[in-house]
Amino acid sequence: MKYLFFACLIFCTISAICHPHVWVEVNTRAYTSENELEKIKLKWTFDEMFSMLFEEDFNDSKDGNYTDEEKEFVKKTVFKNMSDYNYYTTIKIDGEEVNLTPEFEMDTENRILIFNFTYNINEKIKDESQNILISVFDEEFYHDIELSSPVFKVEGESSDKVDFKVQEGEFEWFYSVIEVEELVIEF
Amino acid sequence: MKKQLLLFIFIITLISLVSYASPYNIERESESKERLKTEEVSTTAQVQKKSWIKMPTFINSIRKKIISYQRDLNRMISSNLNKLQKDRSLKTLLIIAFLSFVYGFVHSLGPGHGKVIIASYFLGKKSKIIHGVAAGSLMAFIHALSGTMVVLIFYFFLKKSLMSATSDAESGLRFVTSILIILLGSFMLINEILRKNKNYSDDNKVEVKGANQAYMLSIAAGLVPCPGVILVYLFSINLGVLRFGVVSVISTALGMAAGISLVAVGVIVARNYVEKITFYDFNTKNASEKESNEQKQNKLLKLKKFQKVFSIIGFSFIIISGFFMLLFV
């Protein structure tokens, strides 16, 4: 009976968090200059169906070619509203959570919707090891957001001093703790 | 025997409470980020409880697998619809139908599809397996039909923004659903409490009447439109393959019907099993002949009590889930 209870508990947990409707893939790119980690850009690639739905509402020509005005409108509405969810992104520099507002740019690739979030980090690359932890996550599981390959790239001088790893972080969720993907940039 | 019953009730209560903790919050419409209106977005009510269970690693890997299956299914459905636009082959259509069925099934295992509501009903009322299948299927089809209506009304007639229409329809209908569930559940509960004990015949089986109340609950719970269905419609409209999009939606509905019915049937079987082992003697089929009338009467009384208790618990859960939907979603 005990096993039945745990089985059902587990089933409920699994069932509770398998209900996304929108699928996002995230690629990260860092930009360095001499001895400084300047920017981190997160590129969100949405799924085809949601891209189409988005087009329906924001693209008059319905062909995936957004005009500058339409892109600006998306920035003023969608991006602005996302700030209430902190853009679903948590950034910690050396363990300390930071509240940064990214620059936003939307794009499309073959009618697939892309959101680009660029964070100005401006951290000096020192001898001691530092790290930046990034996790992109929808707590309501409406969006399933996951890191996809190529997970991380770095460009610029001092790029050889920057490395990364992907780890599982913990997120407290109701009665349990679930694992969430985290990108750790080490420099 | 009593211990078994108590344990069973405890488990069912715990399971239901646990599933109440999660499902409806997930369904909360986070598409407000895509709203065209600049109304204030309510902050997410983050329940920062101290976690007392850490899910073992294999659970997380199961979770990831299920999500990645859905992601892949979603991608396969959209790429096959693309294929269908260029080459109208029956094979591609059948693939889409199959993928949509699986997607609907896996998707319906998630919360917010009113499974808890009809599971609570079938916990309360003794029913036949066919009732569970019918109720589950009805809910799934109403769910898909509701999504269809959103597309028909907002896309074809009103030509409004579908994203905000979807989130508005969802929140509006969720409100209606929760009220209906509370009312139906309350009606059933009051009826059960006030019901006078009927005289049962010597046959200690209780006649199972129809499950009309379950069907009413199914319709009420299925009213909230399915965003997945809306996405498929829109996608196929844009590709000019709407009639094949309809095939996908019907298959998805069938998959959801299978998923919800499975849960309903599971509850029915479990409940009937507990009733059977509590009141009937498996080993001696002729027990009823050997028992005295007094023993039979005692058993019948126990059975009536058991059924009344379960009905009250089941109907209460229906009302509780209605309130949960109303207040926390």
Side-chain angles (χ1 to χ4, degrees):
Chain A
M1 275 300 193
K2 197 168 52 171
Y3 297 120
L4 179 66
F5 164 62
F6 278 113
C8 292
L9 188 64
I10 284 164
F11 172 73
C12 293
T13 313
I14 297 173
S15 76
I17 47 185
C18 297
H19 206 216
H21 283 292
V22 183
W23 314 91
V24 182
E25 288 178 349
V26 176
N27 306 107
T28 310
R29 188 167 282 197
Y31 298 89
T32 58
S33 61
E34 193 177 333
N35 279 330
E36 191 178 79
L37 180 64
E38 287 189 335
K39 296 182 192 187
I40 293 177
K41 182 164 106 175
L42 298 172
K43 176 183 175 188
W44 286 30
T45 308
F46 286 87
D47 65 84
E48 215 176 336
M49 285 199 197
F50 184 75
S51 303
M52 210 64 107
L53 180 67
F54 200 83
E55 209 179 86
E56 194 57 44
D57 283 0
F58 292 99
N59 177 220
D60 274 339
S61 55
K62 310 271 192 277
D63 57 358
N65 296 322
Y66 291 76
T67 64
D68 289 335
E69 289 84 25
E70 287 168 345
K71 288 186 181 180
E72 198 52 41
F73 185 70
V74 169
K75 195 172 179 176
K76 281 193 185 128
T77 51
V78 176
F79 173 64
K80 182 171 169 289
N81 285 347
M82 279 178 86
S83 68
D84 293 315
Y85 295 87
N86 204 32
Y87 317 100
Y88 299 103
T89 308
T90 304
I91 299 183
K92 292 184 184 172
I93 300 180
D94 287 331
E96 291 277 324
E97 195 168 326
V98 292
N99 247 332
L100 296 169
T101 305
E103 291 163 14
F104 173 80
E105 207 192 304
M106 72 155 277
D107 204 356
T108 52
E109 276 171 23
N110 294 327
R111 294 182 89 170
I112 301 287
L113 182 68
I114 310 267
F115 280 179
N116 288 310
F117 299 94
T118 307
Y119 290 87
N120 292 316
I121 303 287
N122 299 119
E123 281 281 316
K124 292 257 179 283
I125 301 176
K126 303 169 195 160
D127 282 333
E128 62 213 43
S129 69
Q130 299 152 265
N131 66 68
I132 298 176
L133 188 145
I134 302 175
S135 83
V136 194
F137 176 60
D138 180 3
E139 294 162 0
E140 296 173 2
F141 298 102
Y142 193 83
H143 307 82
D144 175 55
I145 305 173
E146 64 175 40
L147 303 175
S148 87
S149 136
V151 171
F152 181 75
K153 271 189 180 169
V154 56
E155 273 180 28
E157 311 165 23
S158 312
S159 58
D160 53 316
K161 295 184 185 166
V162 182
D163 202 1
F164 82 102
K165 68 176 182 195
V166 176
Q167 66 185 26
E168 298 290 342
E170 288 186 350
F171 176 72
E172 266 188 37
W173 187 80
F174 288 102
Y175 54 87
S176 66
V177 165
I178 58 169
E179 287 176 1
V180 168
E181 263 183 334
E182 288 173 343
L183 173 68
V184 181
I185 301 171
E186 290 159 337
F187 61 109
Chain B
M1 184 178 64
K2 227 180 188 177
K3 238 175 24 176
Q4 249 176 350
L5 249 176
L6 281 169
L7 191 58
F8 186 82
I9 292 172
F10 172 76
I11 288 170
I12 295 289
T13 312
L14 218 51
I15 291 166
S16 309
L17 283 172
V18 144
S19 48
Y20 287 132
S22 54
Y24 302 112
N25 270 337
I26 309 303
E27 272 287 319
R28 178 186 310 166
E29 193 46 81
S30 73
E31 268 209 313
S32 52
K33 77 163 185 154
E34 271 90 36
R35 274 200 198 160
L36 287 173
K37 307 170 198 160
T38 48
E39 62 191 32
E40 231 128 52
V41 178
S42 58
T43 49
T44 314
Q46 250 310 95
V47 182
Q48 286 295 347
K49 278 189 199 161
K50 184 93 190 183
S51 56
W52 51 274
I53 289 181
K54 165 127 191 229
M55 284 294 130
T57 326
F58 79 92
I59 299 300
N60 273 293
S61 49
I62 293 173
R63 171 183 76 94
K64 276 189 218 156
K65 271 215 176 97
I66 294 180
I67 289 182
S68 81
Y69 285 150
Q70 284 189 77
R71 180 186 281 263
D72 293 340
L73 281 167
N74 184 278
R75 188 177 295 149
M76 284 193 270
I77 292 170
S78 55
S79 76
N80 273 290
L81 279 168
N82 262 315
K83 237 194 239 177
L84 212 53
Q85 183 197 32
K86 295 157 193 154
D87 165 35
R88 312 256 162 133
S89 82
L90 180 64
K91 183 181 167 195
T92 314
L93 186 61
L94 286 173
I95 292 173
I96 289 172
F98 173 71
L99 292 170
S100 307
F101 179 86
V102 177
Y103 184 79
F105 181 77
V106 176
H107 193 70
S108 75
L109 295 181
H113 289 275
K115 289 190 305 300
V116 177
I117 292 164
I118 61 165
S120 303
Y121 174 87
F122 288 121
L123 175 74
K125 266 277 183 246
K126 181 178 174 122
S127 312
K128 294 181 187 166
I129 287 175
I130 191 75
H131 296 150
V133 174
S137 308
L138 185 61
M139 187 185 297
F141 277 95
I142 298 289
H143 196 50
L145 186 67
S146 180
T148 311
M149 294 306 294
V150 167
V151 173
L152 272 174
I153 294 169
F154 290 97
Y155 181 80
F156 287 111
F157 289 126
L158 297 178
K159 304 212 190 287
K160 264 185 77 178
S161 145
L162 254 190
M163 278 199 292
S164 51
T166 307
S167 80
D168 288 346
E170 256 192 270
S171 48
L173 283 168
R174 192 167 286 122
F175 176 75
V176 169
T177 296
S178 46
I179 299 291
L180 277 174
I181 300 289
I182 293 169
L183 288 175
L184 280 168
S186 309
F187 174 77
M188 288 186 229
L189 182 66
I190 293 169
N191 226 20
E192 185 63 33
I193 293 172
L194 297 177
R195 188 173 65 101
K196 294 212 166 80
N197 291 322
K198 291 183 189 153
N199 283 325
Y200 292 114
S201 61
D202 278 2
D203 177 13
N204 56 8
K205 283 193 186 138
V206 177
E207 288 260 329
V208 178
K209 291 176 188 161
N212 288 329
Q213 290 174 331
Y215 304 144
M216 283 193 277
L217 284 172
S218 301
I219 294 172
L223 282 178
V224 182
C226 178
V229 156
I230 294 172
L231 280 162
V232 166
Y233 273 131
L234 201 73
F235 191 73
S236 49
I237 288 168
N238 271 351
L239 290 180
V241 290
L242 175 58
R243 62 195 119 113
F244 304 123
V246 171
V247 170
S248 172
V249 168
I250 292 173
S251 307
T252 309
L254 283 168
M256 290 197 286
I260 302 172
S261 302
L262 194 69
V263 170
V265 167
V267 173
I268 291 170
V269 166
R271 184 207 180 281
N272 290 354
Y273 178 72
V274 166
E275 194 179 280
K276 210 170 185 181
I277 60 171
T278 314
F279 298 103
Y280 306 118
D281 199 335
F282 269 137
N283 296 322
T284 53
K285 285 183 186 169
N286 300 322
S288 54
E289 290 168 10
K290 287 181 184 172
E291 283 176 345
S292 68
N293 271 336
E294 200 184 316
Q295 281 176 316
K296 276 190 200 170
Q297 281 303 314
N298 277 336
K299 262 200 175 167
L300 275 167
L301 268 169
K302 274 188 184 159
L303 177 64
K304 278 188 277 178
K305 270 190 197 161
F306 166 91
Q307 291 190 336
K308 193 138 190 164
V309 163
F310 262 64
S311 294
I312 290 173
I313 293 174
F315 298 154
S316 306
F317 275 166
I318 293 172
I319 301 171
I320 291 169
S321 54
F323 273 109
F324 220 89
M325 216 182 198
L326 183 67
L327 300 170
F328 296 111
V329 183

